[in-house]
Amino acid sequence: MASDLSQILQDELANTLEQLLSKTTKVTSVELYDGEGCVSEQCIEVKSKFDFTNVSSTWEFFIPTVAATKFEYFMLGGMGDLKENIDDEIADAVNEIVSNISGSISTSVNAQGFADLGNVKFEVLGNEIVEIDVLKSTANLYKITLDMDGEKILVFIAFSDDILPYLLAISGVESSEASSKEESAGTPLAAGQTPLAGGVSSSLIDDDAAENLKLLMSIKLKLSVRLGTRIFLLKDILRWDVGEIIELEQMVNEPLDILVNGVKIGEGEAVIVENKFGLKIRSIGDEASRLSQIRL
């Protein structure tokens, strides 16, 4: 069976938007677009090309007016007025956001070391402002619903046919090669062994997996704590000098983000331990969720 990028896509989309826009973001649903639910008149289309070992795929990101104007507004730290229509500045901001999302996806895929995908490279091919009706004629278009600090935001991504088997959990499309292997697999197994894809027994997989997991437990990971973030204009940053006080968006009584290798896994509060800063964990996922989030 082909490697599945579905969870990586959702995680990196949410994580990148959260980091760029300083808004708690999560993906609440991904579904094939049926032509309903989008009320904007225009959207920004950004094409991003991914070159994997076995496949080259172009993904088309469509960001409707409502989402695009808010993305630029949040990137600027909520300063000024929220625009009602898309302009070139908004298009450039959305292009930058999609570039960051594509880069995060590529980095995460490369870190996984998928044998069938290899070392992926990406290139953003450009953007343009299009009418919303184009969505109805776009093939393999998926509507992604985001929750950003309790606000519902819609974005859309269209995938080329050849990448759909690598997004099985989203598309439901399985590779023909994997299907043919499952049909032809028929190697006799010893008592107590369970057949898996390719005729390999579960007892062998379990032994190898246990040994690999044991090795992973000795890997050193970087723990960091995010005190706060804020988006600034380049011209403001260039004016800074020694003694400048930079105000962050984080309130003093709000929890701090706990990051492992740059990925948020929980929240905590600062404490003093023997004249050193420490961290008291206030919330954190279970072992399975942490293992799935951490980038090795």
Side-chain angles (χ1 to χ4, degrees):
M1 181 178 292
S3 300
D4 197 343
L5 305 180
S6 301
Q7 194 60 50
I8 289 178
L9 167 63
Q10 295 179 68
D11 289 345
E12 297 309 324
L13 176 63
N15 291 339
T16 304
L17 288 174
E18 182 168 323
Q19 292 172 16
L20 290 176
L21 309 181
S22 300
K23 295 289 181 181
T24 302
T25 305
K26 62 181 179 180
V27 175
T28 58
S29 69
V30 182
E31 55 190 333
L32 191 64
Y33 183 51
D34 60 3
E36 302 294 333
C38 187
V39 297
S40 298
E41 295 181 356
Q42 292 182 315
C43 58
I44 300 174
E45 177 188 11
V46 183
K47 293 183 180 180
S48 191
K49 182 182 179 184
F50 294 86
D51 289 319
F52 302 93
T53 298
N54 293 338
V55 61
S56 181
S57 175
T58 298
W59 299 9
E60 298 173 79
F61 293 77
F62 294 92
I63 314 299
T65 300
V66 173
T69 54
K70 289 184 178 179
F71 285 178
E72 191 223 19
Y73 181 73
F74 294 149
M75 279 192 73
L76 296 177
M79 296 182 291
D81 297 325
L82 180 63
K83 298 176 182 177
E84 295 182 358
N85 301 302
I86 295 174
D87 57 21
D88 290 340
E89 291 180 348
I90 291 177
D92 289 342
V94 168
N95 193 81
E96 182 66 23
I97 288 172
V98 171
S99 178
N100 277 273
I101 292 171
S102 300
S104 296
I105 291 172
S106 299
T107 299
S108 185
V109 171
N110 291 338
Q112 298 298 321
F114 294 125
D116 53 350
L117 294 175
N119 191 33
V120 61
K121 298 179 180 179
F122 82 96
E123 177 187 5
V124 175
L125 303 178
N127 67 84
E128 61 177 319
I129 301 172
V130 298
E131 299 302 315
I132 203 68
D133 287 343
V134 75
L135 298 182
K136 296 181 179 180
S137 59
T138 302
N140 304 326
L141 182 66
Y142 288 81
K143 179 175 71 174
I144 301 176
T145 305
L146 302 168
D147 182 298
M148 301 185 70
D149 278 352
E151 183 176 4
K152 178 181 175 182
I153 300 290
L154 298 181
V155 299
F156 300 83
I157 306 178
F159 305 101
S160 55
D161 291 334
D162 43 14
I163 200 64
L164 293 180
Y166 298 93
L167 295 163
L168 179 60
I170 291 174
S171 67
V173 177
E174 190 170 356
S175 67
S176 56
E177 181 181 352
S179 299
S180 61
K181 284 183 178 180
E182 289 182 4
E183 292 174 0
S184 61
T187 306
L189 299 174
Q193 291 183 334
T194 305
L196 297 173
V200 182
S201 72
S202 62
S203 62
L204 293 176
I205 290 293
D206 290 342
D207 290 343
D208 291 341
E211 185 62 28
N212 290 337
L213 187 59
K214 189 175 180 181
L215 293 173
L216 289 175
M217 291 304 175
S218 298
I219 294 177
K220 294 182 179 180
L221 304 175
K222 181 180 179 180
L223 171 70
S224 56
V225 179
R226 183 160 53 203
L227 178 61
T229 59
R230 185 172 176 181
I231 304 297
F232 289 93
L233 298 177
L234 177 59
K235 64 180 181 180
D236 295 328
I237 296 174
L238 295 178
R239 284 201 297 261
W240 290 348
D241 201 348
V242 176
E244 184 85 24
I245 296 178
I246 301 171
E247 183 180 349
L248 303 177
E249 293 183 340
Q250 191 93 349
M251 301 295 289
V252 293
N253 59 343
E254 290 182 342
L256 307 178
D257 292 339
I258 304 172
L259 310 175
V260 173
N261 277 15
V263 177
K264 180 180 175 181
I265 65 166
E267 296 179 338
E269 60 181 272
V271 296
I272 302 297
V273 182
E274 296 181 355
N275 295 321
K276 294 182 180 179
F277 279 115
L279 184 72
K280 181 179 180 181
I281 295 176
R282 290 178 52 174
S283 66
I284 195 167
D286 57 26
E287 289 187 5
S289 65
R290 273 176 268 165
L291 190 59
S292 66
Q293 290 177 303
I294 293 174
R295 300 172 184 168
L296 301 180

